[in-house]
Amino acid sequence: MKIWLRKYSENKLYQGLFLLLFIMVTSLSLYLAQKSVVAFLLLLTSLLLLYYTKFSNAIKWSAGLLVLVVLLPLSASGGDAYESYMEVATMVGIYISMALGLNIVVGMAGLLDLGFVAFFAVGAYTYGIFATGQAANFMPFGHYPLSGNSFWVFILLGCFAAALFGIILGIPVLRVKGDYLAIVTLGFGEIIRIIFNNLDKPVNITGGAMGIPSITPPRIFGIDLVNASQFYYVVLVILIFTIFTVRRFEHSKIGRSWKAVRENEIAAQAMGVPLVRTKLVAFAVGASFSGMMGVVFAGKQTFVDPTSFTLLESITILVMVILGGMGSVPGVILGAAVMTILNLQVLTELTNWLNELSTSGTFVIPDAVSPAKMQRLLFGALLIIFALYRPKGLIPAKNPVYKMEDLSSGNVIQLTEKKQSAEG
């Protein structure tokens, strides 16, 4: 029986038929239901099933893009909850991109960073200041706020600004590692937040604790992007670029240098790896993805303030990386998606359901212990469980395995690229 099941489970034809049927059923269920969180989550689960199939990398990417670009928005548009679904999907994309950036610093380079949300704040304030009248307080030239067309330029500016701050962070921490590195990065994150919180005098640049309201929404082809369903595609394009870039870095010379530094700095340096440049590149590249998504966040929310960039946010992103699997790109994607969906949708829907039961008198639960308010407790318990029973994460990082004859032929780099291309 086991042999029979294994035979059919590894057959590409049966995998394709099952996956096609699964996607069709979940898409139709989501379209016909006015609001079905289960159908929405199952449709997203099809992407995870697609990852574990035996198809080529090109087929996986094509099918995944079909689900994300066409089926998910089309299926979710059948009910009144369309924008709420797209809001969750958009935030999932934002957090995945930030988690992938942190994965470069923590998972690949082994540099524990507890202030990563500071780069997200840099990107958000970079756009927020110039897309409102705040810039007129200190800029002697130009007319502010800038139009929504400048948003696309600020995605690049936010990327470069965050990378610059990543280098600024990296320079003073080159001499420390381990717990001391975590303390320094934690302090850096708090310093950035406090600066933005107090930079309203003597010249009002950031609006201080009141934040920056009425940020100009992005505009493309004369249309203002104001809905989550519109930002969904912007986030999706940036996310695809992020995944592609991270994968290319992972198997490049600098990616192997990051892993060497993570395993043993002394041995890496002895083998010719430049520690200073390698660490600075890790901080800069990881921060750049967070900066881009900070610009998107500011344009989407049309408001930024220091409360969105606390230490708790940095820890949440770190938990995503640990839960998914440090150093594993697919694992980090899954960990970020699970954490974000739990936070924004599952716990909220569970709380609403329990409140309905309490109102009807069927089941009474104290408001103080509702799932939404016990969020951090549930996340902490989840992290403890995975630390005990799956310490390498949901999808652990895999290192390519070679035969001796392959190593002697000198084609290790080409073999690595072929293996990773096949794995997707």
Side-chain angles (χ1 to χ4, degrees):
M1 184 66 177
K2 291 182 178 180
I3 298 175
W4 183 82
L5 289 174
R6 182 181 301 174
K7 175 183 176 182
Y8 284 96
S9 64
E10 293 181 354
N11 188 291
K12 290 184 180 181
L13 177 61
Y14 289 103
Q15 287 181 350
L17 291 174
F18 173 78
L19 188 62
L20 179 62
L21 181 62
F22 184 86
I23 293 175
M24 290 176 60
V25 171
T26 52
S27 300
L28 187 61
S29 301
L30 181 60
Y31 182 79
L32 295 177
Q34 291 295 316
K35 187 176 183 181
S36 176
V37 176
V38 175
F40 176 70
L41 296 180
L42 287 176
L43 183 56
L44 292 179
T45 304
S46 66
L47 298 174
L48 180 61
L49 297 178
L50 180 63
Y51 169 76
Y52 282 109
T53 59
K54 300 296 183 180
F55 297 115
S56 66
N57 192 26
I59 295 178
K60 289 182 181 181
W61 271 100
S62 300
L65 289 176
L66 178 64
V67 172
L68 292 175
V69 176
V70 180
L71 292 180
L72 180 60
L74 182 62
S75 302
S77 63
D80 298 332
Y82 174 53
E83 289 298 331
S84 65
Y85 286 137
M86 291 296 98
E87 174 72 21
V88 173
T90 302
M91 294 305 297
V92 167
I94 290 175
Y95 275 105
I96 288 177
S97 187
M98 287 197 292
L100 287 173
L102 183 59
N103 185 50
I104 289 178
V105 180
V106 177
M108 296 184 186
L111 305 171
L112 184 56
D113 189 348
L114 294 182
F116 193 74
V117 77
F119 308 122
F120 186 58
V122 169
Y125 273 96
T126 298
Y127 180 66
I129 291 172
F130 290 94
T132 61
Q134 293 294 129
N137 296 330
F138 63 94
M139 292 294 288
F141 55 87
H143 299 280
Y144 304 97
L146 298 177
S147 68
N149 295 320
S150 65
F151 171 81
W152 313 105
V153 177
F154 270 91
I155 289 180
L156 297 177
L157 293 178
C159 171
F160 291 126
L164 177 61
F165 272 82
I167 295 174
I168 293 174
L169 167 64
I171 291 174
V173 303
L174 293 176
R175 296 177 177 270
V176 297
K177 56 184 178 180
D179 298 339
Y180 297 101
L181 175 62
I183 293 172
V184 172
T185 54
L186 185 153
F188 175 81
E190 287 299 293
I191 288 172
I192 294 296
R193 184 184 64 82
I194 292 172
I195 288 176
F196 287 147
N197 190 62
N198 293 279
L199 208 58
D200 57 341
K201 51 189 176 183
V203 179
N204 188 0
I205 299 177
T206 64
M210 300 300 293
I212 303 177
S214 303
I215 297 174
T216 304
R219 179 178 300 171
I220 183 171
F221 303 127
I223 302 174
D224 289 335
L225 306 184
V226 294
N227 299 322
S229 57
Q230 296 170 324
F231 275 96
Y232 170 75
Y233 292 100
V234 178
V235 171
L236 186 59
V237 170
I238 299 177
L239 178 59
I240 293 173
F241 168 77
T242 302
I243 295 174
F244 174 79
T245 306
V246 171
R247 293 289 287 182
R248 296 297 294 178
F249 269 116
E250 181 183 7
H251 306 299
S252 66
K253 180 180 179 180
I254 187 65
R256 294 191 293 272
S257 298
W258 287 336
K259 294 178 182 179
V261 171
R262 177 191 65 192
E263 297 301 327
N264 193 311
E265 289 189 9
I266 298 176
Q269 193 172 21
M271 294 298 293
V273 175
L275 290 182
V276 174
R277 187 179 67 185
T278 302
K279 291 184 178 181
L280 288 181
V281 171
F283 277 116
V285 173
S288 62
F289 301 129
S290 187
M292 285 192 293
M293 283 307 183
V295 174
V296 175
F297 178 79
K300 173 180 172 296
Q301 300 295 115
T302 67
F303 173 78
V304 291
D305 73 319
T307 60
S308 300
F309 315 107
T310 60
L311 172 63
L312 194 58
E313 288 295 322
S314 292
I315 295 177
T316 300
I317 301 171
L318 179 61
V319 170
M320 294 176 182
V321 175
I322 297 174
L323 179 64
M326 294 178 61
S328 170
V329 174
V332 170
I333 293 173
L334 179 59
V338 169
M339 288 285 292
T340 307
I341 292 173
L342 276 175
N343 183 19
L344 298 180
Q345 193 164 57
V346 174
L347 294 182
T348 302
E349 292 295 330
L350 183 59
T351 300
N352 294 336
W353 178 67
L354 292 175
N355 289 338
E356 291 177 1
L357 292 179
S358 299
T359 303
S360 62
T362 305
F363 181 78
V364 179
I365 181 172
D367 183 62
V369 293
S370 64
K373 293 187 176 180
M374 303 292 287
Q375 176 196 96
R376 300 303 168 186
L377 175 63
L378 295 176
F379 285 172
L382 186 66
L383 190 61
I384 292 174
I385 292 173
F386 272 86
L388 292 175
Y389 298 103
R390 200 171 180 85
K392 293 186 179 180
L394 293 170
I395 304 179
K398 296 180 181 179
N399 292 320
V401 179
Y402 306 102
K403 298 179 180 178
M404 290 301 297
E405 54 268 23
D406 295 331
L407 294 175
S408 60
S409 64
N411 296 323
V412 177
I413 296 177
Q414 291 83 351
L415 288 169
T416 302
E417 293 177 350
K418 289 181 180 179
K419 284 177 176 290
Q420 296 302 331
S421 177
E423 292 176 2

